[in-house]
Amino acid sequence: MVFGMLAGFTAAKSDVLLSEDEIAQTLLHGPWPIEYGKDPSNRVSGNLEAIAFGKALFSDPILSRDENMSCASCHDPEYGFSDALPRAVGQKLLDRNTPSLMNLRSHRWFGWAGGTDNIWAQSIDPILNIDEMGHDAESLRSAIAGSTYPQTYGKLFGDISKHAPEDVLVNISKALAAYQETLRTGQTSFDRFRNALEAGDLTTAGTYSDSAQRGLQLFIGRGNCAFCHSGPAFTNGEFHDAGVPYFITETRVDEGRFGGLKAIKQNPFTLAGDYSDDPEKTGAWAVNQVRFQHSDFGTFRVPGLRGATKTAPYMHNGSLKDLAAVVDHYNAINMERLHVDGEAILQPLGLSPQEKNDLIAFLESLSDDGS
Ligand code: HEC
Ligand code: HEC
C-alpha cells in the first residue's frame, strides 16, 4: 500500500508542464531522424562509392581553379559544416552567411534564396562562381582528368575522356551531393522527451529540464516560432521575412527569394531539366509552378534549427552573433522592418530574462546529440 502510494507520487512528480494540446503540437516535431530514401534525381544517391568519392572531393582544393579553397574551407565539420564567420569569404567577402549542410534532405529549395531545387545543382554554384572556386566546366574537366580521380569517376559514371565538360560538372556535383546527403544530426534530449510523451512515459519525459519545457511552450505558443519553424526539421521549407535588414551596403540590397526565383528560372540544372536522372521528374512541379510576387522581395528560407548551437553567427547575413542575440531579435522585433505583407505573425514578445533563458534552453536541446 505504502509502496503503491510512493509509486503514484513518483509518477506525479515527473514534472511534465505541457497541456494536452501542447503535447499534440510537440509530437509534430518528430520523430527524428527521418529516413528520406534515395534522391531520384541523382543516380548515385546512396551509392557507397559515390559517397566516399564525394567526401574526398569535398575537401579537395582541386575544385577551385587556383587550388586555394575546397568546399570544406567554408563548410567546416567543426561548425556543423559552416564557418563561424558572419559572411563567407571566397576570393572576396561574399554577401551571405555560410549555411550548415546538416539535414539537407529536409529542404526543397537550397541556398538562403532558394536559387536551386536540388543538392547537386546547389553544389555546382560555388564551383563556377567567380568569387568562390572560379572554374568553368572545361577547366574542371581538365583538373579532374589530370588528377588521381579518373578511375573512381570511371567506375561510377564512365570514361571521363568521352564526357562533355557539362556532364563532368554535373557528375562531380552528384558525387558531392551523395556525400552531403549523409550529413545528419542525431537524436537530442528534445527527441527523447518527445518520444517519451508519445509513448506515455511521463517519468522519462520528466527528465527533460523544466526550463527547456517552458521554452518549448513559448516556441509553440506565445512566440509563434513553430509557425515557420515547423515539423521534425523545424522549418516549413518556405521563405519568410524575419525582420533581418536586407541592405548589404547603403545602396545595395539582397533581394532574397525574389532573386532566387530569377536564378532558378534560368538554371538548367533543376529537377525539371535534362540533367535530372529521374524519368518521372519527381518534385519538378515546384519549380514549374513558382511565380514572382512582390512579397518575395527580401524573404529568406526558414533555416532548420537542429544542430544550431554549432553554426553561429545566425541569419542570412550572419548579423546575430549567438542564440541569445536571436532571441533578443525576436523579442524586440522591429515591426517597421517587416516589409512583407502578412508577416504580422511576428510581434514583439516582451519576454522576461527568465523566459529568454528558457527559449535558449529549448533551442539548445535541439543540438545536444553529441555529433
Ligand atoms: C567561399 C565559401 C564557400 C565555399 C568554398 C563553398 N560554399 Fe557552399 N555555401 C556558401 C554560402 C555563402 C552559401 C549560401 C549561398 C546562398 O544562399 O546564396 C552556401 C550554400 C551551400 C549549400 C546550400 C545549403 C542549404 O541549406 O541550402 C550547399 C549544399 C553548399 N553550399 C555546398 C557546397 C559545396 C558542395 C561546395 C564545394 C563544391 C561549397 N558549398 C563551397 C559558402 C561556400
Ligand atoms: C515568419 C516566420 C518565422 C517565425 C515566426 C520565426 N522565424 Fe526564426 N527564422 C525565420 C527566417 C526566415 C529566418 C532566416 C532570416 C534571415 O536570414 O533573414 C529565421 C532564422 C532563425 C534562426 C537562425 C538560424 C540560422 O541558422 O541562422 C533562429 C535560431 C530562429 N529563427 C529561431 C526562431 C525563434 C526562437 C522564433 C520564435 C521566437 C522564430 N525563429 C520565429 C522565420 C521565422
Side-chain angles (χ1 to χ4, degrees):
M1 191 64 207
V2 172
F3 285 119
M5 279 171 71
L6 260 178
F9 183 68
T10 313
K13 264 290 279 147
S14 61
D15 287 345
V16 171
L17 311 176
L18 274 49
S19 69
E20 286 295 312
D21 184 49
E22 287 168 335
I23 290 175
Q25 288 191 57
T26 301
L27 297 188
L28 299 175
H29 293 289
W32 188 264
I34 295 177
E35 286 312 321
Y36 290 99
K38 292 182 184 174
D39 173 355
S41 75
N42 178 356
R43 67 194 182 287
V44 297
S45 171
N47 175 319
L48 293 179
E49 256 175 299
I51 293 168
F53 184 34
K55 184 174 183 182
L57 289 166
F58 191 83
S59 49
D60 194 330
I62 196 176
L63 294 190
S64 57
R65 189 193 280 257
D66 296 340
E67 302 206 6
N68 62 357
M69 72 177 72
S70 70
C71 310
S73 309
C74 298
H75 298 285
D76 180 345
E78 191 168 331
Y79 303 109
F81 292 82
S82 63
D83 58 12
L85 298 170
R87 281 158 53 191
V89 179
Q91 308 302 341
K92 61 173 203 180
L93 178 66
L94 305 180
D95 291 342
R96 293 186 183 149
N97 173 262
T98 304
S100 156
L101 300 182
M102 304 302 276
N103 307 326
L104 285 176
R105 285 293 298 282
S106 61
H107 294 291
R108 170 184 298 149
W109 309 105
F110 297 89
W112 286 101
T116 57
D117 67 354
N118 66 78
I119 304 172
W120 46 272
Q122 182 63 43
S123 304
I124 291 175
D125 265 22
I127 299 176
L128 299 184
N129 188 330
I130 196 77
D131 296 327
E132 295 180 63
M133 301 170 112
H135 267 301
D136 52 44
E138 201 65 68
S139 66
L140 178 73
R141 183 179 175 283
S142 319
I144 301 288
S147 73
T148 55
Y149 293 131
Q151 208 188 350
T152 316
Y153 179 98
K155 271 170 91 181
L156 287 162
F157 302 108
D159 184 353
I160 192 168
S161 68
K162 300 201 172 98
H163 286 177
E166 277 71 28
D167 293 322
V168 175
L169 175 67
V170 170
N171 289 338
I172 289 293
S173 302
K174 284 179 177 166
L176 284 165
Y179 165 59
Q180 293 172 88
E181 278 170 24
T182 65
L183 308 174
R184 308 282 301 271
T185 59
Q187 287 205 343
T188 68
S189 57
F190 168 76
D191 297 301
R192 286 187 288 280
F193 175 65
R194 184 231 164 252
N195 295 345
L197 290 180
E198 190 173 48
D201 174 1
L202 295 187
T203 310
T204 303
T207 62
Y208 188 54
S209 80
D210 288 0
S211 176
Q213 288 194 52
R214 289 191 303 262
L216 166 62
Q217 288 176 307
L218 287 166
F219 189 87
I220 59 183
R222 184 150 63 92
N224 251 333
C225 316
F227 180 84
C228 299
H229 297 284
S230 59
F234 292 86
T235 168
N236 61 9
E238 289 303 329
F239 300 83
H240 290 274
D241 173 10
V244 180
Y246 57 97
F247 278 90
I248 302 165
T249 65
E250 272 179 30
T251 53
R252 212 155 57 85
V253 297
D254 188 330
E255 297 182 347
R257 181 56 170 159
F258 197 75
L261 285 171
K262 280 192 249 176
I264 206 168
K265 288 291 185 192
Q266 293 163 10
N267 192 321
F269 305 115
T270 65
L271 296 181
D274 292 341
Y275 291 96
S276 165
D277 297 322
D278 181 2
E280 311 288 329
K281 299 277 186 266
T282 313
W285 63 269
V287 63
N288 287 333
Q289 282 187 3
V290 284
R291 299 277 174 273
F292 289 97
Q293 285 179 311
H294 178 70
S295 58
D296 292 320
F297 201 90
T299 63
F300 295 89
R301 195 192 63 195
V302 178
L305 300 179
R306 291 181 176 273
T309 54
K310 283 191 170 178
T311 63
Y314 301 103
M315 306 308 194
H316 73 273
N317 57 4
S319 56
L320 299 177
K321 74 173 192 319
D322 53 24
L323 289 174
V326 174
V327 168
D328 282 337
H329 164 82
Y330 283 110
N331 192 37
I333 196 135
N334 183 342
M335 298 301 280
E336 313 238 303
R337 268 194 198 148
L338 291 176
H339 47 278
V340 178
D341 319 328
E343 298 283 20
I345 191 84
L346 288 166
Q347 301 277 341
L349 297 173
L351 301 177
S352 68
Q354 169 72 64
E355 287 174 319
K356 287 191 208 172
N357 286 337
D358 291 342
L359 196 46
I360 295 167
F362 166 67
L363 292 171
E364 287 173 350
S365 80
L366 306 176
S367 291
D368 54 7
D369 63 336
S371 75

